[in-house]
Amino acid sequence: MNSSTTSSPSADATWENSRSHNQANWDERAAAHASSPDYAVQRFVDDPDALSGVVEFDRPRLGSIAGLDVVHLQCHIGTDTLSLARLGAASVTGLDFSTASLEQARSITERAGHRDIRFVQSDVYDAPAALERQQFDLVYTGIGALCWLPSVERWAAVVAELLRPGGRLFIREGHPMLWALGDNPATGQRTLADGEFTGPALEFPYFEMPEPLVFDDGGTYVETEREFNATVTHEWNHGLGEIVTALLKAGLRLDLFTEHQSVPWNAMPGQMVEIGAGEWQLAEAPERLAATYTITATKVAPET
């Protein structure tokens, strides 16, 4: 399916406006992220075996990618992309819509000795054309990607178009339950037999909505002293049913779906504790929150 046929003119206008805001936001943050201790860029340069915490977490479910052609969608500054190359992929392509992010990605991977990684500028929906209709054995998408896209069905169609028959999708992503929660502790308190739990309230849509949620936030998710000007972002949530249905509709077979109690950043300051390997979970009764999920799916070969 050609992804360009799945959106309406009004949806395209919304997406163009949202993409402009989001691109400015990510362009401005790229250098700050590359210099932040949270991304630990120098570790990748100094240690040829270093992997990002996100990819290290993924390895038990990702399996061997030796000899595969891999594309990493929404790759940002490329530390996960570099990590995939270090796991033995035959070729790795990173794709992102942010020029500044790709400049950092090229610099980091070259300094780390991986000049063979290709980086392409494009938003996800235009990826098949930007990649000249090339198909891959693995489409990899990491944390914090889908919330920037208005239509998960359109995304799934792109994934299917990028995969060879028998190729796999791997995605670990923030759980829509997490995205629907507010950051502030608070509003709900429930008394149980052995104590009281105070937690965040549902403030935002769980399901995909036509219009984006608009935020104005001067911070970012890593440690940095930089101040930013492009602070407005447009974001969307997507329910798990919507995501799975979109993948099935696009011709993929669901192979694995698992939910995790942890997330690789302090997603709810004041309510989470670090549990090692860069992962955070609720400090109190973490079993209450599905913070992330992993899906793997295979593109079904056409019947002969």
Side-chain angles (χ1 to χ4, degrees):
M1 183 191 307
N2 188 325
S3 60
S4 65
T5 66
T6 62
S7 59
S8 67
S10 60
D12 284 340
T14 297
W15 170 232
E16 289 292 338
N17 179 52
S18 297
R19 180 172 57 185
S20 176
H21 283 287
N22 292 341
Q23 188 168 353
N25 181 275
W26 284 101
D27 278 346
E28 191 173 14
R29 280 157 177 71
H33 288 183
S35 61
S36 169
D38 294 291
Y39 271 97
V41 165
Q42 193 60 42
R43 180 173 67 91
F44 292 93
V45 176
D46 295 339
D47 181 1
D49 297 319
L51 302 176
S52 68
V54 169
V55 170
E56 192 65 66
F57 183 96
D58 291 340
R59 287 184 74 179
R61 288 157 290 276
L62 182 62
S64 174
I65 63 170
L68 301 185
D69 294 324
V70 177
V71 61
H72 178 193
L73 301 181
Q74 295 167 275
C75 68
H76 191 36
I77 63 171
T79 52
D80 295 343
T81 322
L82 170 61
S83 300
L84 294 171
R86 287 181 169 177
L87 291 180
S91 69
V92 178
T93 299
L95 181 137
D96 200 274
F97 73 161
S98 165
T99 302
S101 293
L102 293 182
E103 289 173 355
Q104 294 294 336
R106 293 185 182 101
S107 173
I108 292 166
T109 54
E110 288 177 6
R111 288 164 55 203
H114 285 262
R115 294 178 174 82
D116 54 341
I117 298 175
R118 177 177 59 149
F119 290 102
V120 175
Q121 183 183 8
S122 172
D123 73 57
V124 173
Y125 294 148
D126 295 333
L131 296 171
E132 299 178 329
R133 306 297 167 186
Q134 180 181 354
Q135 292 187 310
F136 299 85
D137 302 304
L138 176 68
V139 171
Y140 179 92
T141 297
I143 292 282
L146 292 189
C147 63
W148 305 103
L149 302 176
S151 168
V152 73
E153 184 174 312
R154 191 175 177 189
W155 165 81
V158 167
V159 169
E161 192 168 350
L162 291 174
L163 285 172
R164 296 178 178 129
R168 292 187 294 135
L169 163 71
F170 183 98
I171 177 170
R172 183 188 178 209
E173 179 57 282
H175 200 288
M177 182 179 179
L178 175 68
W179 298 137
L181 296 176
D183 293 332
N184 300 318
T187 42
Q189 190 168 35
R190 183 180 181 190
T191 302
L192 302 179
D194 56 353
E196 294 181 344
F197 293 127
T198 300
L202 289 168
E203 294 184 18
F204 306 113
Y206 176 92
F207 298 102
E208 183 179 298
M209 303 298 288
E211 297 298 322
L213 294 166
V214 179
F215 298 98
D216 191 344
D217 185 354
T220 188
Y221 57 86
V222 298
E223 180 183 341
T224 180
E225 295 181 356
R226 298 196 186 195
E227 296 182 358
F228 304 109
N229 296 310
T231 58
V232 174
T233 58
H234 291 202
E235 303 175 32
W236 292 262
N237 204 358
H238 311 283
L240 287 178
E242 294 169 331
I243 295 165
V244 170
T245 299
L247 292 172
L248 296 175
K249 183 177 179 180
L252 275 68
R253 181 191 70 231
L254 193 68
D255 298 319
L256 176 144
F257 170 61
T258 186
E259 296 166 291
H260 314 285
Q261 295 179 15
S262 67
V263 63
W265 80 96
N266 187 5
M268 301 168 64
Q271 301 178 72
M272 285 187 154
V273 292
E274 191 170 8
I275 59 172
E279 294 286 316
W280 296 73
Q281 67 180 25
L282 284 179
E284 187 178 6
E287 66 275 8
R288 292 177 296 160
L289 177 66
T292 55
Y293 65 89
T294 297
I295 287 175
T296 65
T298 300
K299 181 176 180 179
V300 179
E303 295 183 3
T304 57

